[in-house]
Amino acid sequence: MGEWWGPVVRVLVLQAAWALVGGQVRYSVPEEAKAGTVVGRLAQDLGLEAGEAEARRLRLVSQGRRASVEVSGASGALVVSSRLDREELCGKSAPCALRLEVLVERPLRVFHVELEVADINDNAPLFPSARRNLSIAESSLPGSRFPLEGASDADIGANAQLSYALSPTEHFRIEEENSNSRSKSLFLVLTKALDRETLPVHRLVLTASDGGRPSLTGTMELVISVLDANDNAPQFNQTVYNVHLPEDSLKGKLVTQVTAVDLDEGLNREITYEMDTVVPSSASDVFNVDAKSGEIRLTGALDFETVAFYDVQIKATDKGTPPLSGHCKVVVEVLDVNDNAPEVWVTSLSVPVPEDASVGTVVALLSVSDRDSGANGRVRCAVWPAAPFGLVSTFAGSYSLVLREALDRERVSEYEVEVRAEDGGSPSLRGRRGVRVPVSDVNDNAPAFAQAVYTVLARENNAAGAELARLWARDPDEADNGRVRYSVWEGGVGGVASAGGGWRPASSYVSVDAESGRLWALQPLDYEEVQVLQFEVRAVDAGEPPLCGNATVQLFVVDENDNAPALLPYGSGGPGPGASGEAASGPDSGALWAWAAWGAPAGQVVAKIRAVDADSGYNAWLRYELWEPRGKGPFRVGLYSGEVSTTRALEEADGPRQRLVIVVRDHGEPARSATATLSVSLMEGAEAALAAAGSSLSSGAVLRAGLRPAEGGAAATGAAATTNVWLVVAICAVSSLFLLAVVLYGASRWAPRAGVLSGPGPATLVCASEVGSWSYSQRQSRSLCVADGAGKSDLMVFSPNFPPPPGPAAKETQPEPPALLDTVSVAHYLAFRSFPPVPSVLRVPSVLFPEQAVMGPRLSPRDLRVVGALQVLRDVKGIFASALASLAEPLASCCVGS
């Protein structure tokens, strides 16, 4: 063994060097090599540095069969791991080459190694049986040949070249004959006539030796019985019959018909056919021969991939005594048909694939094979769906599944890829293999709010810790990449100027829950301090790096009636209409004085009460009521103007002084009020004029009581001219405002519908009059509609889409809803919040709503816009009338002075 081991190693080294030069690693190892035998320095031959093989995980990829070699992790050498049996691996195929796939990671590379298993003489020749019985008539002539079944050797080449030797005898010898078949024919040749009476039975030993070094042998005992009588054996017309059959042939198909003749006569001439031997022996039930006709038919299934050739020995035996027989061989070649679909294996799978993986990333390694041969075994592969993966052929029967397009986990989180293989047969067969490729998430999506701007309504005086709204930002990523935390962003635009003149950030008023996005109030809100609070809320995910999104929150504070009306002190307003001027306060700040002349006609204004309310809208809309004296007195007070006027001509019977108690109420729920006491002194006309003039002078009014008539007339003329100029300016301003109101109405008419804040609230009463005036809150310019009396008022009813302020009446009709969050515009809110609700049962003019003349109607959004626009026009008309009345006051004062 040691004598030829050195040359073998040199041959292996030369083959490995030649393979590296040729671009492919190739090694050779003899079979039956011991475990641990080094086949080759694989890491060095692949160009890896020392120690790099273990770091880059150099390893073999199994392809479905048991691996007999492995890669040493430390040295990177290819060593034998288990018994190598060339006959088991390759059978009779020569040479026996194993194709191995070698993987190197970091980065991933594939190398192909061819390992040739060299044959050694480890199999002895083997006969089909240990004993063979032959019957030979003694009349057989010398030179008669009797076919024998030769031995078989699992080795190849010289190790399978057999030679035969017969034990010493003078009657027989062994003869080998080459034919056009794939195997040699072996015959026992009679060299000398037999004499049954001398030796009836010949026992010989047939020895088969192979050509290996050392040579191995096998033996079979031949037991030859000498028969008497029939001296002519049947003879076939062909020694060898060659037949080609497709492997899909059906049972019962005629393979061929053999024919033998016997020169004898009588029973010695009648021949019966039988199968003597079949190679391989496991296929004895595949064929059957008819004993009389010699027809050979198929009785089993053929499989080209299992057995491609059959050697069938047919024996023809006559009926003589003793019977004689002749032999022939039928060689059946099986033709391949496309009956095997391609098979696909996944040899390596690298999942999940990150969604930011680059194009060209290897996802899986595949191996494809087809057991058929020729065109039937040529395979084409494709991947479905075609995107985003593709196949790249790396070696014969090996493919890589690579990434062709960028991935997006938020669009597709997992792919079911199918690798389809199709052979070249007709018809072609297909095989497929499914590969599940999950996509792992990366933080590539920032949290996004449903709205860029959120509008929140919150009532003032709300409890600290009350929930105002709930924000939500969507992040399509998963796990930590999609976990969102909320915060009020101090870096954004947010805050409000405090009453003390400083700047307070939005975080001092509100807070947002980091997990749920709920917006909380940190302290009670005061409408008189903060009307609108705008700030930004930031949503940040927990990815690496974190991504964020912002949304703007506009928090509108809804006013509640928490301020009572306040009377203006003396001198805070200008002179009122009428000759008597404004009510004057006396020494006591709680009492007001006015002067009226006896004989003043009905409707004469003697004083005007002025009050303001720190609230806004309906809560700041004031009305004046005469509380004392009750009944029919000489004075009355304007319901919304606060003007104290006479109801009839004053008489001396009314006394020198009248004490009036006037209550000022707002329209809040519940209503708040203030009380003013007015003392009206009744005197002669001249005294009343002087008292009024003195009051006007003390209040800063321009009134010169001592002017001469000529000078007074000139002053009156100049004042009249100035008043005319102001009247022209007022008319132009009124026309411009009217046109602007028409344009705004058209814009609101065609503007898209705003989102509804909540369900329809109770009806709202808005009053307008052609001679009405508007009063203004001291701190905010909130328009309030007033009229001289209830008799001249028109009523318009609409239902604003936000809840009313809390109060006893409102709480009885419907529960107070939570703070609202929707996409309502600021313009709609400001338009609606100036018109708070009133009781739902109102008298509506039948001209506007004839079918709903009693109860407040529940109008559609379109009707609300139309009614609101009409109300705006009426309110503008009231403003114009109030402006004209204000301009007329100086003119009247001038006229009184003159």
Side-chain angles (χ1 to χ4, degrees):
M1 191 72 174
E3 298 176 357
W4 55 271
W5 183 252
V8 169
V9 171
R10 289 195 295 272
V11 171
L12 295 181
V13 172
L14 290 176
Q15 286 182 348
W18 176 82
L20 288 176
V21 173
Q24 181 179 4
V25 180
R26 181 178 298 173
Y27 299 102
S28 179
V29 61
E31 64 173 329
E32 304 297 338
K34 295 182 179 180
T37 302
V38 177
V39 179
R41 296 174 297 178
L42 180 59
Q44 181 178 351
D45 295 339
L46 294 179
L48 301 180
E49 298 295 335
E52 195 176 3
E54 186 172 8
R56 295 184 60 184
R57 295 185 62 188
L58 180 66
R59 60 189 177 90
L60 290 178
V61 177
S62 177
Q63 293 188 350
R65 62 177 62 183
R66 180 179 61 85
S68 299
V69 292
E70 63 182 12
V71 176
S72 176
S75 63
L78 187 65
V79 298
V80 176
S81 61
S82 61
R83 175 177 177 267
L84 283 171
D85 189 354
R86 191 205 63 80
E87 288 73 25
E88 179 182 353
L89 294 174
C90 301
K92 299 291 288 184
S93 299
C96 181
L98 302 180
R99 292 179 179 179
L100 307 176
E101 286 187 359
V102 180
L103 294 183
V104 179
E105 297 185 357
R106 307 189 187 101
L108 180 65
R109 294 187 60 190
V110 181
F111 298 92
H112 298 276
V113 177
E114 185 172 301
L115 178 63
E116 180 179 357
V117 181
D119 182 46
I120 65 173
N121 192 24
D122 58 342
N123 291 280
L126 182 65
F127 285 94
S129 59
R131 173 183 294 183
R132 176 69 186 276
N133 294 318
L134 295 175
S135 295
I136 301 177
E138 63 175 333
S139 58
S140 297
L141 300 176
S144 299
R145 301 193 307 173
F146 305 94
L148 297 176
E149 186 175 358
S152 61
D153 196 323
D155 296 324
I156 60 173
N159 296 329
Q161 294 180 0
L162 303 181
S163 60
Y164 297 91
L166 193 63
S167 60
T169 178
E170 60 179 354
H171 293 91
F172 300 96
R173 63 180 174 86
I174 291 296
E175 180 178 311
E176 296 180 40
E177 179 180 316
N178 292 327
S179 62
N180 58 352
S181 63
R182 296 178 64 253
S183 61
K184 293 182 179 181
S185 298
L186 186 65
F187 294 93
L188 181 66
V189 181
L190 182 64
T191 59
K192 184 180 179 180
L194 298 175
D195 187 1
R196 188 188 63 81
E197 290 75 20
T198 303
L199 186 61
V201 176
H202 296 262
R203 297 184 178 273
L204 305 176
V205 176
L206 179 61
T207 304
S209 303
D210 59 23
R213 295 291 185 274
S215 177
L216 300 179
T217 60
T219 60
M220 180 177 66
E221 181 183 12
L222 297 178
V223 179
I224 304 172
S225 299
V226 180
L227 302 178
D228 197 14
N230 190 18
D231 55 354
N232 288 292
Q235 298 292 326
F236 287 93
N237 55 2
Q238 287 181 233
T239 305
V240 177
Y241 293 83
N242 292 300
V243 180
H244 300 82
L245 283 179
E247 62 175 324
D248 60 349
S249 299
L250 301 177
K251 293 181 180 180
K253 180 178 177 60
L254 177 64
V255 177
T256 188
Q257 184 176 12
V258 295
T259 302
V261 295
D262 195 318
L263 299 178
D264 296 326
E265 294 182 354
L267 291 177
N268 294 332
R269 191 174 183 177
E270 294 181 6
I271 299 173
T272 58
Y273 301 92
E274 62 177 335
M275 284 194 305
D276 194 8
T277 59
V278 179
V279 178
S281 58
S282 59
S284 58
D285 56 346
V286 176
F287 303 98
N288 183 46
V289 60
D290 187 89
K292 292 184 178 181
S293 63
E295 292 181 347
I296 301 175
R297 294 187 178 275
L298 192 65
T299 58
L302 301 178
D303 188 2
F304 172 83
E305 289 72 33
T306 303
V307 180
F309 291 91
Y310 293 92
D311 289 340
V312 182
Q313 294 284 346
I314 303 297
K315 181 173 69 174
T317 306
D318 59 23
K319 295 182 179 181
T321 303
L324 300 179
S325 61
H327 298 81
C328 73
K329 180 192 295 185
V330 179
V331 178
V332 180
E333 181 180 356
V334 181
L335 302 180
D336 181 44
V337 296
N338 193 25
D339 58 344
N340 290 280
E343 296 179 344
V344 182
W345 296 282
V346 179
T347 58
S348 179
L349 184 61
S350 179
V351 293
V353 180
E355 62 177 321
D356 60 349
S358 60
V359 174
T361 300
V362 177
V363 178
L365 298 178
L366 307 170
S367 178
V368 182
S369 65
D370 194 316
R371 297 178 61 193
D372 295 322
S373 62
N376 297 330
R378 287 194 291 269
V379 181
R380 301 184 301 272
C381 289
V383 63
W384 186 90
F389 300 99
L391 284 180
V392 176
S393 178
T394 58
F395 195 70
S398 299
Y399 294 87
S400 295
L401 183 66
V402 299
L403 189 62
R404 295 292 193 192
E405 299 176 3
L407 301 176
D408 186 2
R409 190 204 64 82
E410 287 70 39
R411 185 172 59 89
V412 181
S413 62
E414 184 176 277
Y415 291 89
E416 291 291 341
V417 181
E418 188 175 78
V419 179
R420 299 177 175 179
E422 181 179 5
D423 60 26
S426 181
S428 61
L429 299 180
R430 297 174 178 84
R432 60 190 63 191
R433 174 74 63 179
V435 180
R436 188 177 67 88
V437 182
V439 181
S440 61
D441 182 53
V442 297
N443 193 25
D444 57 346
N445 290 278
F449 287 91
Q451 301 171 205
V453 178
Y454 289 87
T455 301
V456 179
L457 302 182
R459 300 182 182 277
E460 69 170 326
N461 303 321
N462 60 307
E467 181 179 345
L468 302 178
R470 182 174 298 181
L471 307 179
W472 180 73
R474 178 180 180 270
D475 194 324
D477 295 324
E478 65 178 358
D480 288 342
N481 296 333
R483 188 176 298 111
V484 179
R485 295 183 65 86
Y486 304 89
S487 63
V488 176
W489 187 30
E490 296 295 348
V493 179
V496 68
S498 62
W503 180 264
R504 297 186 61 184
S507 59
S508 63
Y509 292 96
V510 295
S511 175
V512 62
D513 186 81
E515 298 294 337
S516 64
R518 295 180 177 178
L519 188 65
W520 307 95
L522 295 179
Q523 62 182 11
L525 299 175
D526 187 2
Y527 175 81
E528 286 70 39
E529 177 186 357
V530 180
Q531 288 81 44
V532 180
L533 181 62
Q534 180 171 320
F535 55 92
E536 289 191 10
V537 174
R538 168 171 286 187
V540 183
D541 60 27
E544 186 63 35
L547 302 178
C548 65
N550 296 334
T552 300
V553 178
Q554 293 178 341
L555 177 63
F556 292 93
V557 181
V558 179
D559 181 50
E560 289 193 357
N561 192 25
D562 56 349
N563 292 281
L567 296 173
L568 291 178
Y570 175 71
S572 62
S580 298
E582 187 173 346
S585 60
D588 186 1
S589 60
L592 304 176
W593 281 268
W595 295 265
W598 283 325
Q604 177 68 50
V605 177
V606 299
K608 185 171 183 177
I609 306 299
R610 292 183 181 273
V612 295
D613 196 315
D615 296 322
S616 67
Y618 206 71
N619 296 327
W621 183 17
L622 304 180
R623 58 185 296 167
Y624 302 84
E625 300 177 1
L626 184 61
W627 189 258
E628 291 182 3
R630 296 183 179 274
K632 294 183 179 181
F635 297 100
R636 70 176 181 180
V637 63
L639 181 61
Y640 298 109
S641 64
E643 295 176 346
V644 179
S645 59
T646 59
T647 59
R648 55 178 172 81
L650 298 176
E651 301 173 354
E652 293 184 4
D654 293 325
R657 177 176 296 180
Q658 291 283 335
R659 180 178 178 273
L660 306 179
V661 178
I662 299 172
V663 177
V664 184
R665 299 180 187 274
D666 57 28
H667 284 74
E669 288 292 342
R672 296 178 179 268
S673 62
T675 304
T677 302
L678 176 64
S679 296
V680 181
S681 298
L682 304 181
M683 58 188 66
E684 295 294 337
E687 295 177 357
L690 289 175
S695 174
S696 299
L697 286 174
S698 63
S699 62
V702 180
L703 181 61
R704 300 185 182 273
L707 293 177
R708 293 187 298 272
E711 293 175 351
T717 303
T722 302
T723 301
N724 291 335
V725 173
W726 282 107
L727 286 176
V728 172
V729 173
I731 291 173
C732 294
V734 166
S735 301
S736 300
L737 291 176
F738 179 77
L739 292 177
L740 178 61
V742 172
V743 172
L744 292 176
Y745 167 70
S748 64
R749 175 64 177 84
W750 295 105
R753 300 182 181 180
V756 179
L757 287 175
S758 65
T764 300
L765 172 64
V766 178
C767 173
S769 174
E770 295 181 358
V771 295
S773 64
W774 291 75
S775 67
Y776 298 89
S777 175
Q778 184 180 9
R779 300 179 60 183
Q780 296 87 20
S781 298
R782 299 288 183 258
S783 299
L784 304 176
C785 172
V786 298
D788 289 342
K792 297 181 180 180
S793 300
D794 293 334
L795 296 181
M796 296 181 65
V797 181
F798 67 93
S799 298
N801 290 330
F802 66 91
K811 291 182 179 178
E812 292 176 1
T813 56
Q814 67 179 52
E816 181 179 355
L820 303 175
L821 175 62
D822 210 329
T823 56
V824 63
S825 65
V826 177
H828 283 81
Y829 168 70
L830 293 178
F832 283 148
R833 71 175 184 173
S834 298
F835 304 103
V838 297
S840 58
V841 180
L842 299 175
R843 184 173 299 276
V844 183
S846 59
V847 176
L848 292 178
F849 306 103
E851 73 282 2
Q852 299 178 355
V854 178
M855 299 298 294
R858 186 178 295 272
L859 305 179
S860 65
R862 178 179 178 184
D863 295 334
L864 288 178
R865 290 198 296 272
V866 174
V867 174
L870 292 176
Q871 182 60 38
V872 169
L873 294 179
R874 290 178 178 269
D875 294 344
V876 169
K877 182 176 68 174
I879 294 174
F880 296 159
S882 178
L884 292 176
S886 299
L887 291 175
E889 289 179 359
L891 179 60
S893 299
C894 291
C895 293
V896 172
S898 62

